[in-house]
Amino acid sequence: MQSTAGLPPLWEVRHSNSKNLPYYFNTSTKESRWEPPSGTDTEALKLYMATHHSSAPVRSPDVSKDGGKIRAAHLLIKHKDSRRPSSWRENEITRTKEEAISTLLGHEARIRSGQASLGDLAMTESDCSSARKKGDLGYFGRGDMQKEFEEAAFAMKPGEVSRVVETASGVHLIERLE
């Protein structure tokens, strides 16, 4: 019998204080992992995470003003050729890069039309564990992210949303927050 989080028996969602992210813990074997265990009901997990693992807004660190750091959120769609083709939503991602781009373009259309925000879509649709924080990656500086991601994020003004950005992780929509 699965938990309300959609996890197999003996698995539970816990929170990492050091990374400020949820992780999965087996109470019997003491195994912990960032990706959901095999046999997870991903639809139930999406609903559980959106309901129980949203977080308070991230406060601006002092270094953001003079340290060249920015804050951004993203919505990541992985594909079978991503560097790690699994996520909290799916144990094994089999979609093609073209299918991932098509899905992301649909999300982009909803965002640009005002039907949804990037943050709200990220909570249920992003393949990144930052989904629980509405895709918020916090503050980062140059050299902290993959080159293509960094270039797009730093080129935008706060409030802007990128077009599709491709990295080794998958395809992203990025919103510059600060």
Side-chain angles (χ1 to χ4, degrees):
M1 180 175 190
Q2 291 186 322
S3 69
T4 56
L7 298 172
L10 304 176
W11 284 92
E12 60 188 31
V13 178
R14 291 197 175 176
H15 186 82
S16 166
N17 290 326
S18 62
K19 298 217 180 255
N20 195 28
L21 294 171
Y23 67 96
Y24 307 95
F25 181 78
N26 185 303
T27 57
S28 174
T29 65
K30 308 300 184 211
E31 175 188 358
S32 62
R33 56 190 301 166
W34 293 110
E35 305 300 334
S38 179
T40 298
D41 177 341
T42 55
E43 290 305 311
L45 181 60
K46 279 193 229 181
L47 290 172
Y48 178 84
M49 296 302 265
T51 304
H52 299 289
H53 282 275
S54 58
S55 65
V58 176
R59 289 192 335 228
S60 172
D62 295 336
V63 295
S64 69
K65 299 292 183 243
D66 57 356
K69 293 188 180 244
I70 64 169
R71 183 170 156 228
H74 76 140
L75 193 165
L76 168 65
I77 304 294
K78 292 184 176 184
H79 51 81
K80 65 182 182 178
D81 297 319
S82 297
R83 73 176 170 190
R84 214 177 80 244
S86 65
S87 76
W88 70 273
R89 296 176 61 230
E90 297 175 77
N91 283 329
E92 182 183 357
I93 295 173
T94 59
R95 76 179 69 84
T96 65
K97 182 177 176 181
E98 293 72 26
E99 290 168 329
I101 291 171
S102 177
T103 298
L104 200 62
L105 289 172
H107 296 324
E108 180 184 12
R110 291 183 63 204
I111 293 165
R112 296 202 188 283
S113 72
Q115 291 177 352
S117 71
L118 183 141
D120 289 340
L121 284 174
M123 287 186 74
T124 57
E125 304 304 318
S126 181
D127 285 318
C128 181
S129 56
S130 68
R132 67 171 287 285
K133 298 183 291 183
K134 294 190 168 195
D136 192 337
L137 296 168
Y139 290 88
F140 57 90
R142 293 197 180 274
D144 292 339
M145 299 290 179
Q146 293 175 56
K147 183 176 186 276
E148 303 88 348
F149 188 99
E150 176 185 297
E151 287 175 356
F154 275 89
M156 293 187 294
K157 294 182 176 115
E160 290 183 334
V161 176
S162 72
R163 298 292 181 188
V164 174
V165 176
E166 296 181 30
T167 70
S169 297
V171 292
H172 315 251
L173 289 176
I174 305 166
E175 180 178 8
R176 170 94 180 252
L177 300 174
E178 294 180 33

